[in-house]
Amino acid sequence: MSAPDPAKLSLNTATVRKQWNLRQMIEGCARHGIRGISPWRDQLQVLGLKEAIKLIRAHELTVTGLCRGGFFTAKDWRDDNLRAIEEAHELRAQCLVLVVGGLPAGSKDLASARNQVKEGIAAILPEARKAGVPLAIEPLHPMQAAERACINTLEQALDLCDFFQEGIGVAVDVYHVWWDPKLEQQIKRAGKKRILAYHICDWLAPTRDLVSDRGMMGDGVIDLPRIRSWVEGAGYSGFHEVEIFSELDWWKRDPDEVLRTCKDRHKRVT
Amino acid sequence: MSAPDPAKLSLNTATVRKQWNLRQMIEGCARHGIRGISPWRDQLQVLGLKEAIKLIRAHELTVTGLCRGGFFTAKDWRDDNLRAIEEAHELRAQCLVLVVGGLPAGSKDLASARNQVKEGIAAILPEARKAGVPLAIEPLHPMQAAERACINTLEQALDLCDFFQEGIGVAVDVYHVWWDPKLEQQIKRAGKKRILAYHICDWLAPTRDLVSDRGMMGDGVIDLPRIRSWVEGAGYSGFHEVEIFSELDWWKRDPDEVLRTCKDRHKRVT
């Protein structure tokens, strides 16, 4: 594998969410020559959508995704997802990432939760198509099945895409799928049409927390060049979005150091 | 679902491993009317195999499994597995549970680790067949892929069983597989022939540790009666083995209370 194009690096703003507000994140990307950004909606709300759009355009950043829609098993999922689609449209985001939601409170019925997700997507997809916003189902690691997302493999997400056909695809986050024995096969199946986003970080061994102990690329056990070769082999030529939740490490560091490290590792080990 | 037969409860001794030695575990099972036991090899070594066999037979306990063989990506895997087969034979264990091992130290090559596992099983399976000891591949939760087992779904384990055919099957542990969208389908595929053990506990939400924060049946989100209905529907009529790693809770409790709770929950919520 040749080294990835540095121009394809994107920052998922979760990576520095404890240190910076969205204005600082946008300016940080510009300062470090990072050309893509994927903001979270809570940060957008604080800064204001119009101001965020103005800053992002002024710095000519590509919005590689909006995080996030989904949570179809929670209350108010419909209105919240329709607002998210509208925001993604305004931002010209390449996709709206769907973290689909886990078990409803008190429920043990995974099959039913999965049906709710399917029905939820069916309800919002026509609006997303009208707005020109592709929906990216993000299969989350099985350890998140109860609390965050009951779509847990790429195969399962792609079965949903096959059912819905147009306007929907997947976000492939190495953290969630690296372990999957069918990963290469399912990335191939997804192809250029279905892969709407590619997220990178690393799996630490040991991992100390189920949610917020992701590693910087190169610090864990994921064979990032190999997975990139599969994704590119399938036809994906978009951004590589760094998304690191790290309560114990990177959220404690100087955010300029974090961005410098992302750039360096992206070039050297992904 | 009707309540499970209390005579089918088995104790995986990991459940009280911080409180009791194997002699106390065997006597504890007998005292509480638990008719099956699945010991760990480190505990056997401390008590002595002959003494363990004498006690287990005196109390007429069924050995529902021996934990564990496997770790094919570690050094000395061959000799260690051959000893485990011999011990399982002596104990008349219903199977030898294989925790197959994760990535070798320093490696990021999952595909190669999985090949090593296949080759390791190929090397020991003839001995296991000769000894009349069925090998039970235990797919471990994907969050254990790096450190403990690179076989992470029932489908993947059953593909290996199909390859090897005779003398091999799976241990279905709800903790590892409950999230799997293909669980019902793959349990059906496994059938009576391949399901060699059925392990129960619960998935806590939130889970505070990736290894040792399992829940007692009923305290988490796993739909235990539903999974039992699938397993029994596939023809399995063996024991239900409770295996709870719980640094933060059950390992701190009076072991007699733990066994009483296992019996009560087995009857009421599984």
Side-chain angles (χ1 to χ4, degrees):
Chain A
M1 285 297 288
S2 53
D5 181 354
K8 290 193 175 168
L9 182 61
S10 173
L11 179 75
N12 184 298
T13 60
T15 309
V16 286
R17 78 175 182 198
K18 291 291 166 78
Q19 302 100 316
W20 274 345
N21 61 35
L22 185 53
R23 178 186 300 276
Q24 293 169 308
M25 291 161 177
I26 294 167
E27 291 169 353
C29 283
R31 193 165 62 246
H32 288 272
I34 294 174
R35 307 303 310 142
I37 193 167
S38 181
W40 283 67
R41 292 179 63 215
D42 53 342
Q43 299 159 347
L44 272 175
Q45 199 160 20
V46 173
L47 178 59
L49 184 62
K50 284 201 169 11
E51 183 66 13
I53 290 169
K54 203 179 83 183
L55 282 168
I56 287 169
R57 302 230 168 116
H59 291 294
E60 298 178 342
L61 302 183
T62 300
V63 179
T64 57
L66 175 62
C67 291
R68 55 177 169 59
F71 276 81
F72 297 105
T73 52
K75 283 182 186 164
D76 301 326
W77 60 266
R78 186 187 301 263
D79 289 349
D80 192 56
N81 276 284
L82 296 181
R83 273 194 303 274
I85 289 168
E86 181 58 28
E87 290 167 17
H89 170 79
E90 297 283 329
L91 282 163
R92 299 181 199 152
Q94 295 187 327
C95 62
L96 173 63
V97 174
L98 299 183
V99 173
V100 299
L103 289 166
S107 166
K108 302 187 183 194
D109 191 345
L110 257 184
S112 152
R114 285 163 174 162
N115 271 334
Q116 271 179 265
V117 167
K118 193 173 182 175
E119 286 165 15
I121 293 175
I124 66 164
L125 184 55
E127 302 306 316
R129 286 177 184 146
K130 262 186 257 171
V133 173
L135 299 180
I137 303 172
E138 182 168 5
L140 254 54
H141 195 285
M143 68 185 176
Q144 306 293 351
E147 292 165 283
R148 280 170 196 80
C150 58
I151 306 291
N152 304 104
T153 63
L154 207 46
E155 182 174 30
Q156 189 189 5
L158 290 170
D159 286 350
L160 274 177
C161 292
D162 284 351
F163 177 83
F164 287 115
Q165 287 297 327
E166 295 309 310
I168 193 158
V170 294
V172 176
D173 184 320
V174 296
Y175 194 75
H176 297 303
V177 301
W178 73 278
W179 59 271
D180 188 345
K182 301 177 92 172
L183 183 58
E184 181 178 10
Q185 178 205 103
Q186 294 297 316
I187 285 174
K188 198 173 287 182
R189 170 187 172 194
K192 184 183 170 68
K193 180 181 177 187
R194 294 286 187 217
I195 304 175
L196 301 178
Y198 178 55
H199 296 183
I200 55 176
C201 67
D202 215 331
W203 179 275
L204 299 177
T207 292
R208 297 157 293 177
D209 181 89
L210 276 78
V211 179
S212 301
D213 194 27
R214 298 191 186 193
M216 177 63 68
M217 296 80 74
D219 289 347
V221 298
I222 301 180
D223 188 342
L224 290 158
R226 188 179 302 204
I227 299 180
R228 178 165 65 86
S229 77
W230 294 340
V231 166
E232 292 180 351
Y236 179 79
S237 58
F239 279 79
H240 312 149
E241 185 179 317
V242 178
E243 184 178 31
I244 301 172
F245 295 76
S246 173
E247 195 82 57
L248 299 163
D249 189 350
W250 297 97
W251 284 348
K252 291 179 176 170
R253 300 206 195 192
D254 168 16
D256 281 296
E257 179 201 343
V258 177
L259 265 56
R260 273 194 303 272
T261 310
C262 287
K263 284 189 68 175
D264 174 59
R265 299 291 182 87
H266 176 244
K267 194 166 55 189
R268 290 199 297 115
V269 304
T270 72
Chain B
M1 286 296 288
S2 53
D5 181 355
K8 290 194 175 168
L9 182 61
S10 173
L11 179 74
N12 183 298
T13 60
T15 308
V16 287
R17 77 175 183 200
K18 291 292 166 80
Q19 302 101 314
W20 274 345
N21 62 35
L22 185 54
R23 178 186 301 275
Q24 292 170 306
M25 292 162 177
I26 295 167
E27 291 170 353
C29 283
R31 193 164 62 246
H32 288 273
I34 294 174
R35 306 305 309 143
I37 192 166
S38 182
W40 282 66
R41 293 179 63 215
D42 53 340
Q43 301 159 346
L44 272 175
Q45 198 160 20
V46 173
L47 179 58
L49 184 62
K50 283 200 169 12
E51 182 66 13
I53 291 169
K54 205 179 85 182
L55 282 169
I56 287 169
R57 302 227 169 118
H59 291 293
E60 298 178 340
L61 302 182
T62 299
V63 178
T64 57
L66 175 62
C67 290
R68 55 177 168 60
F71 276 82
F72 298 105
T73 51
K75 283 182 186 164
D76 301 325
W77 60 267
R78 187 187 301 261
D79 289 350
D80 193 56
N81 276 285
L82 296 181
R83 274 195 302 274
I85 289 168
E86 181 58 27
E87 290 167 17
H89 170 78
E90 296 282 330
L91 281 162
R92 299 181 198 153
Q94 295 187 327
C95 62
L96 173 64
V97 173
L98 299 183
V99 173
V100 299
L103 289 166
S107 166
K108 302 186 183 195
D109 191 345
L110 257 184
S112 152
R114 285 163 174 162
N115 271 334
Q116 271 179 264
V117 167
K118 193 172 182 176
E119 286 166 13
I121 293 174
I124 67 164
L125 184 55
E127 302 305 316
R129 286 177 184 145
K130 262 187 257 170
V133 174
L135 299 180
I137 303 172
E138 183 168 5
L140 253 55
H141 195 285
M143 68 185 176
Q144 306 293 351
E147 292 165 284
R148 282 171 195 78
C150 58
I151 305 290
N152 304 103
T153 63
L154 206 47
E155 183 174 29
Q156 188 189 6
L158 290 169
D159 286 350
L160 273 177
C161 292
D162 284 351
F163 177 82
F164 287 115
Q165 288 297 328
E166 295 309 312
I168 193 159
V170 294
V172 176
D173 184 322
V174 297
Y175 195 73
H176 296 303
V177 301
W178 72 279
W179 59 271
D180 188 345
K182 301 176 92 173
L183 183 58
E184 181 179 10
Q185 178 205 102
Q186 294 297 318
I187 285 175
K188 199 173 287 180
R189 170 186 172 194
K192 184 184 171 67
K193 179 181 177 185
R194 294 284 186 220
I195 304 175
L196 302 178
Y198 178 55
H199 296 183
I200 55 175
C201 66
D202 215 331
W203 179 276
L204 299 177
T207 292
R208 296 157 293 177
D209 181 88
L210 276 78
V211 178
S212 302
D213 194 28
R214 299 191 186 194
M216 177 63 69
M217 296 80 75
D219 289 346
V221 298
I222 301 179
D223 189 341
L224 290 157
R226 187 178 301 203
I227 299 179
R228 178 164 65 87
S229 77
W230 294 340
V231 167
E232 292 180 351
Y236 179 79
S237 59
F239 279 79
H240 311 149
E241 184 179 318
V242 177
E243 184 179 30
I244 301 172
F245 295 76
S246 174
E247 195 83 56
L248 299 162
D249 189 350
W250 297 96
W251 284 348
K252 291 179 176 169
R253 301 206 195 193
D254 168 15
D256 281 297
E257 178 201 342
V258 176
L259 264 56
R260 274 194 303 273
T261 310
C262 288
K263 284 188 68 173
D264 173 59
R265 298 291 181 86
H266 176 244
K267 195 165 56 188
R268 290 199 295 114
V269 305
T270 73

